[in-house]
């Protein structure tokens, strides 16, 4: 009986060991299927596969993304655009430093750097590429042919030949223009109606920037309807901006700048000239008004970038293609006034001016 019990114990022990071994083997066999639960990093999808993500959300399942950003130059509007873009991704669960790797490249307003950056990005594997400002967006669109490309802070994507159709861009490129032509017309109308002493508006412009040329032409046409002339002062690089602004003293009753990357990068010098000489200074973006220009008709570039970020989410998580995403323009335009700048530039801000501001709490800057 004793011997029988010993045999029985050995038999039970053997079964328990065998069962444990089978459980271990089963656990090892399931580990690859567990994916993120295993604690191992999941590689990001290749650039070629991300060009046409499936509706099943393969990128979301992989849980890791890589985005390359090419930005032409650093200045408040473009920086705010990038911040808004990343914020939209974060709100959708795509967070820089967690499940998102961002390759940020700044060309420092150098065309050679800009092209080199685009070529570098084209040779790498990314899930999506963002071009901020017309020169960077164009270079990226011309060089990146497999990966989805979005653009932001582009004045006229048709004139720049970044896309051929705003409603149906086709190919692998879409994005958002930062210019509603009506904004320029509204600002020129404001100058004509509320500043009757202005007969000549000076513009500091880099004629080599296509976006600046397009906007200047629109402004010139709008001013001509009021018999006001546009006087040009050329600046081919940032070091020439101050001299160009100074050349307008005595020739212009007001100064205006477009979304000209070269000029905006050195806008502090224009503000100084405007303040020193009591010349009203108008810009095409809110950020420049916050820095010291008197007025614009515009919007927040953070919101503009956020809008493009939402497009990126549609591509990365919902399987949309850039070809099917229409190019958008700002639709929340408002007159924005800086009262401190007005005082510095010798402008009397009337109640009639303030009444034209829709959102007085946010767009009348004290």
């Amino acid at each position: 009986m004793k011997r029988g019990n010993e045999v029985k114990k050995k038999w039970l022990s053997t079964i328990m060991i065998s069962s444990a071994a089978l459980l271990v083997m089963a656990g090892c066999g399931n580990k690859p299927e567990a994916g993120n639960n295993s604690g191992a990093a999941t590689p990001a999808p290749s650039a070629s596969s991300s060009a046409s993500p499936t509706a099943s959300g393969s990128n979301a399942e992989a849980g890791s993304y890589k985005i390359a950003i090419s930005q032409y130059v650093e200045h408040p509007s473009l920086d705010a655009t990038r911040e808004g873009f990343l914020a939209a991704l974060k709100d959708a669960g795509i967070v820089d430093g967690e499940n998102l790797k961002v390759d940020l490249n700044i060309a420092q307003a150098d065309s050679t750097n800009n092209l080199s950056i685009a070529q570098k990005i084209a040779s790498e594997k990314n899930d999506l590429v963002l071009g901020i400002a017309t020169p960077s967006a164009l270079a990226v669109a011309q060089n990146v042919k497999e990966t989805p490309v979005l653009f932001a802070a582009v004045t006229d994507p048709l004139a720049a030949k970044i896309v051929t159709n705003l409603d149906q861009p086709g190919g692998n490129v879409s994005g958002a223009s930062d210019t509603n032509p009506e904004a320029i017309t509204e600002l020129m109308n404001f100058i004509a109606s509320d500043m009757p002493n202005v007969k000549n508006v000076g513009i500091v412009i880099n004629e080599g920037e296509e976006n600046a040329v397009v906007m200047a032409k629109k402004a010139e046409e709008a001013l001509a309807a009021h018999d006001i002339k546009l006087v040009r002062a050329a600046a081919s690089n940032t070091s020439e901006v101050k001299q160009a602004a100074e050349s307008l003293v005595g020739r212009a009753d007001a100064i205006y700048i477009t979304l000209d990357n070269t000029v905006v990068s050195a806008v502090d010098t224009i503000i100084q000239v405007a303040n020193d000489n009591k010349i009203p200074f108008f810009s095409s973006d809110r950020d420049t008004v916050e820095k010291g220009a008197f007025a614009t008709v515009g919007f927040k570039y953070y919101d503009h970038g956020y809008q493009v970020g939402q497009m990126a989410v549609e591509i990365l998580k919902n399987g949309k293609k850039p070809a099917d995403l229409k190019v958008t323009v700002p639709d929340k335009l408002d007159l924005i006034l800086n009262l401190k700048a007005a005082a510095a530039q010798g402008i009397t801000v009337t109640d009639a001016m303030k009444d034209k501001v829709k959102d007085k709490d946010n767009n009348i800057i004290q």
Side-chain angles (χ1 to χ4, degrees):
M1 190 72 176
K2 184 177 181 181
R3 178 175 176 80
N5 287 337
E6 290 177 354
V7 171
K8 191 174 183 179
K9 287 179 180 179
K10 288 182 179 179
W11 180 73
L12 288 171
S13 178
T14 301
I15 288 180
M16 291 174 68
I17 292 170
S18 298
S19 298
L22 287 171
L23 286 171
V24 171
M25 290 174 66
C28 292
N30 287 338
K31 194 170 185 178
E33 295 178 8
N36 293 337
N37 292 331
S38 69
T42 305
S46 66
S48 58
S49 66
S50 67
S52 301
T54 63
S56 63
S58 59
N59 284 338
E61 291 172 4
S64 178
Y65 304 91
K66 183 184 176 186
I67 292 177
I69 299 177
S70 176
Q71 182 174 321
Y72 191 60
V73 69
E74 290 180 295
H75 65 61
S77 296
L78 301 188
D79 293 344
T81 298
R82 186 181 72 247
E83 291 166 4
F85 174 82
L86 294 175
L89 292 174
K90 183 177 181 180
D91 288 348
I94 304 175
V95 184
D96 186 17
E98 293 182 12
N99 60 347
L100 171 63
K101 180 179 179 181
V102 178
D103 175 25
L104 175 61
N105 304 269
I106 309 292
Q108 301 300 346
D110 185 289
S111 58
T112 301
N113 289 344
N114 188 49
L115 177 59
S116 297
I117 288 169
Q119 292 172 338
K120 176 187 81 74
I121 290 174
S123 70
E124 299 170 342
K125 294 182 178 181
N126 293 285
D127 295 295
L128 186 138
V129 177
L130 172 67
I132 302 178
T134 301
S136 291
L138 180 59
V140 167
Q142 290 176 336
N143 285 275
V144 179
K145 298 302 182 182
E146 299 291 331
T147 309
V149 172
L150 292 176
F151 59 79
V154 170
T155 300
D156 191 336
L158 291 177
K161 298 182 179 179
I162 297 173
V163 296
T164 56
N165 188 299
L166 298 181
D167 292 329
Q168 296 178 321
N172 66 319
V173 182
S174 186
S177 169
D178 62 353
T179 299
N180 184 329
E182 286 304 309
I184 301 173
T185 301
E186 287 183 22
L187 182 60
M188 298 306 116
N189 289 344
F190 172 75
I191 293 173
S193 63
D194 288 73
M195 309 201 76
N197 293 329
V198 173
K199 303 301 179 185
N200 297 284
V201 174
I203 181 171
V204 180
I205 183 171
N206 176 6
E207 299 282 0
E209 284 204 30
E210 179 66 27
N211 56 309
V213 173
V214 170
M215 293 183 72
K217 182 179 179 181
K218 184 71 176 178
E220 189 169 31
E221 292 171 351
L223 288 171
H226 302 284
D227 294 323
I228 299 174
K229 293 183 179 180
L230 188 71
V231 180
R232 296 171 183 256
S236 59
N237 56 62
T238 55
S239 65
E240 296 177 358
V241 170
K242 183 178 181 180
Q243 182 178 355
E246 289 174 337
S247 74
L248 292 172
V249 177
R251 296 196 298 143
D253 306 307
I255 297 175
Y256 164 68
I257 63 170
T258 68
L259 301 174
D260 186 323
N261 293 296
T262 300
V263 175
V264 173
S265 296
V267 74
D268 288 339
T269 61
I270 302 178
I271 293 171
Q272 180 184 341
V273 171
N275 292 350
D276 290 347
N277 295 277
K278 305 301 179 186
I279 301 175
F281 175 32
F282 300 87
S283 71
S284 295
D285 65 289
R286 180 192 180 93
D287 297 296
T288 299
V289 172
E290 290 180 350
K291 290 189 77 172
F294 166 52
T296 189
V297 171
F299 54 94
K300 289 185 177 181
Y301 268 82
Y302 181 93
D303 294 338
H304 170 67
Y306 195 96
Q307 185 178 30
V308 181
Q310 290 176 314
M311 297 175 73
V313 171
E314 287 296 303
I315 293 170
L316 295 173
K317 299 190 74 171
N318 299 327
K320 296 292 181 68
K321 298 179 181 180
D324 301 324
L325 297 175
K326 67 180 294 184
V327 175
T328 61
V329 297
D331 56 2
K332 296 179 180 179
L333 299 177
D334 197 5
L335 177 65
I336 304 166
L337 304 176
N338 184 328
L339 302 189
K340 286 185 178 180
Q345 293 160 23
I347 302 166
T348 300
V349 180
T350 65
D351 289 338
M353 290 181 182
K354 293 179 181 179
D355 287 343
K356 292 182 178 180
V357 180
K358 300 170 188 174
D359 184 356
K360 293 179 174 58
D361 290 339
N362 291 309
N363 292 333
I364 295 180
I365 302 168
Q366 302 292 334

